[in-house]
Amino acid sequence: MIKNYLKIAIRQLRKQKMYAAIKIGGFALGIAACLLIGLYIKDELSFDKSYPDKDRIYRVVGYYNTEGKIEKGTDWPAPMGKALKSDFPEVEISGRLMPNSLFEKAGSNEVRRADQVQNTYEQGFTYADQEMLDVLQLPMVYGKRELALKEPLTMVISKRKADKYFPGKNPVGQVMYLNNDKTKPYRIGGVMENIPETSHLRKFDFFLTLKGVEFYQGEQNNWDASNYPDYIKLRPGTNIAQFEKKMTNDIIKNYYFPVMIKDGVKDAEKQTQKFSLHLQNVTDINLYSYDIYDNTPHGDVRFIWLFGAVAGFILVIACINFVNLSTAKSANRAKEVGLRKVVGSYRSSLINQFLAESIVYSVLSFVIGLILAWALLPYFNTLASKTLSMPWNEWWLVPFLLAAAFIVGIVAGLYPAFYLSGFTPVQVLKGSISTGSKNSILRNSLVVFQFSASIILIICTVVIYNQTQFILNQKVGFDKDQVVVIQGTNTLGDKNVKSFKNELLKLSSVKNVSISDYLPVEGTKRNGNTFYKEGRTKLDAGVGGQYWQIDDTYLKTLGMKLVEGRNFSYAMAADTQGSVIINQTMAKKLNLKSPIGARITNGYGKYTVIGVVEDFNYESMRGHIEPIVLNFGLSPSIVSVKVGGTDMKNTLTNIIAVWKKYSPDQPIRYTFLDEQFANMYADVQRTGHIFTSFAVLAIIIACLGLFALSAFMAEQRSKEIGIRKVLGATVSNITTLLSIDFVKLVLIAILIASPIAWYGMNSWLQDFAYRIPISWWIFVLSGIVAIAIALFTVSFQSIKAALMNPVKSLKSE
């Protein structure tokens, strides 16, 4: 019997090649999309699962209630790790990282072996305790993990870096220099396995020991500065909720509160009540850190839900097409069903036959969908910024796909099977198909669902594109165009970097040059401080802001505008002793009505304000402009070059020639400031591209469904059309008659989709302090596009039906 079902299914497939191709093609597209999204979700869910005892490893997260808004962060004072281990018996091990590039050698460095002269730029440096290796139990290739970072000036490197610098050798004990600093040679204490791509620590290839490190005097005992993420491994059986409460109470009572009282913090007790400590399991870091400030690349569980929903929608849309295409050709199968029933077929056997056909189509669709997913994977990886691969070697792949093909085939084929098998032999043999089918509420509802999903995606795509363009073209308070950012210039030394700057200024195409590794784009240095008016430290609440070092040409190079006062000058000796320039937001928050000459402090020094710069966005436009204090000093890791003219190629050649004169053993590294600015919003652009791709895919599949329904309607109304033509109806009359029903369905879809899309996009835009309004024209445009697509899709069948000879449709009467 099964063999017979399969034979009939293959016969039908050969008989109706076009419909079979559309049916299988639409199904395959939906399945390919689901497979790609499934790979993405599987990858995101697999993060940080490789650590032994992962269920007992936690990151400490601080919650602070600021005017009803909960701010979350992972940076803690240097002595926090020691306090967690010594004060709480529940803590088995505690370890610290220190990846903040504010401090020397964290972040990125120029690296070389001690026996070589050529420097190589490397990223992925972080300081770490020996205990950090023990908490995570990172597997080692060479050296003993428990000793790898025990000694001062030691480091652990990844296997890929060991293979790069010491190919085929055990590098333990070898020495490397960072940034040409021969006073601090780093000895390799161990080589660890490459940290998996499915780890929130994947960007780190170099762990520098914290043993014997103090970034400034008293830093390791200072509870006023927070720069260290802390990880702990709890003893088995620890009650997390009780421990969080205990940890919060004891840390505040024994450490934070006494220090705040000593510092003279106003209403210290009230401030501590806003603060609490929490634990985040290491396996949750990737997906549940979207609202935590941790300067770590990670995913977002909201995208998992979104992508999962999109995959479900696309699969449902593909199944709807299958249903519509099956019922659209119902007239062709009606006589077959009638004859089978007359000769004794039971309805159950007919249902089994149609389900078998559905499964055959589904299996073929899965095979083609798998091939499509494999072919489209490189494009999807670019979209999602992933390195996914097809799991060809996984044992579960074939069983999973076969099971899915059978399930999807049965689900998609249920309605057509029951619908087709329900024809009454007397009616179909007389030439009449079951009554009422042409006004099927279910079928119309399915089309409305398809177009609602498509319109939602169209609206989301337009909103995301407009928001991206708004951000990239918004006035940000500085000139990001034609600024060449040269990195790694700290290896030149303070004296030579100034000479390098002066040499660049001699080039005719160079307008200005600045030395500062603090730039208004992500990936450069940041230094958060709390500022007060001088003499008001114990009376006023502090104002949090950035504290940057810049030189005398920084403002001109980046096109920033002074609204009051003057710029820094080497001719003014006092400028190097404590003069600062502040932005308008800092002046406002410190309530400096006459800021020029005002005295401010951050607790470490006292400064005189000599100028006020116009506010500029130095972080992502997701947030508002924050206060900033610019100090006159040298931070020499980056040199920014403002160039003029149109011959950028020749300008870069001249800049490279100057670089080689000062650093012949180190390749120049440069980027463009506008590119770095755009990279801050790469995730937004990526989201837009993903939505565009999904929207196009959903529209294609929906159009296939609409094509099916238009064919069905033309088939059902063929006699009506013949009569109308005999009575004098024109082709345009008939086309309009058949098209108007579909336009009505699309209009209903627009009404349903618009509020859903508005709610979703309005929620998404809340992440941006600077955002576009969701204008009415977006909904109108999306509606017009949807109607145009629908009319274009149905026009083929409408015109075909209108041009048909009425004799053919009426001769059976």
Side-chain angles (χ1 to χ4, degrees), residues 385-520:
S385 189
K386 287 282 187 180
T387 55
L388 304 175
S389 59
M390 294 299 294
W392 300 115
N393 297 325
E394 296 287 347
W395 66 268
W396 51 264
L397 181 65
V398 173
F400 171 80
L401 291 179
L402 283 175
F406 273 82
I407 292 170
V408 171
I410 291 171
V411 171
L414 279 175
Y415 174 72
F418 279 93
Y419 172 72
L420 294 173
S421 65
F423 292 147
T424 305
V426 174
Q427 289 180 320
V428 296
L429 292 176
K430 285 171 60 180
S432 173
I433 301 177
S434 58
T435 59
S437 60
K438 70 179 181 181
N439 292 320
S440 170
I441 295 175
L442 173 62
R443 193 172 298 108
N444 290 344
S445 299
L446 295 178
V447 173
V448 169
F449 177 86
Q450 285 184 313
F451 268 85
S452 295
S454 301
I455 292 165
I456 288 171
L457 289 172
I458 292 171
I459 293 171
C460 292
T461 300
V462 175
V463 171
I464 293 170
Y465 174 80
N466 286 342
Q467 175 66 13
T468 304
Q469 294 304 307
F470 173 76
I471 289 171
L472 296 178
N473 297 297
Q474 176 76 355
K475 182 181 178 182
V476 290
F478 64 92
D479 185 4
K480 57 185 180 294
D481 297 323
Q482 290 195 293
V483 177
V484 181
V485 179
I486 304 173
Q487 297 161 327
T489 53
N490 54 312
T491 57
L492 302 178
D494 290 356
K495 183 178 179 181
N496 280 343
V497 77
K498 290 181 179 179
S499 300
F500 176 63
K501 170 185 175 179
N502 293 331
E503 195 79 16
L504 289 173
L505 285 169
K506 294 177 183 178
L507 299 177
S508 59
S509 56
V510 172
K511 291 184 174 181
N512 239 310
V513 182
S514 171
I515 303 171
S516 178
D517 41 17
Y518 295 89
L519 292 176

Side-chain angles (χ1 to χ4, degrees), residues 753-770:
S754 295
I756 297 173
W758 179 88
Y759 176 80
M761 285 293 94
N762 187 59
S763 300
W764 180 76
L765 287 170
Q766 297 310 307
D767 284 344
F768 298 88
Y770 302 89

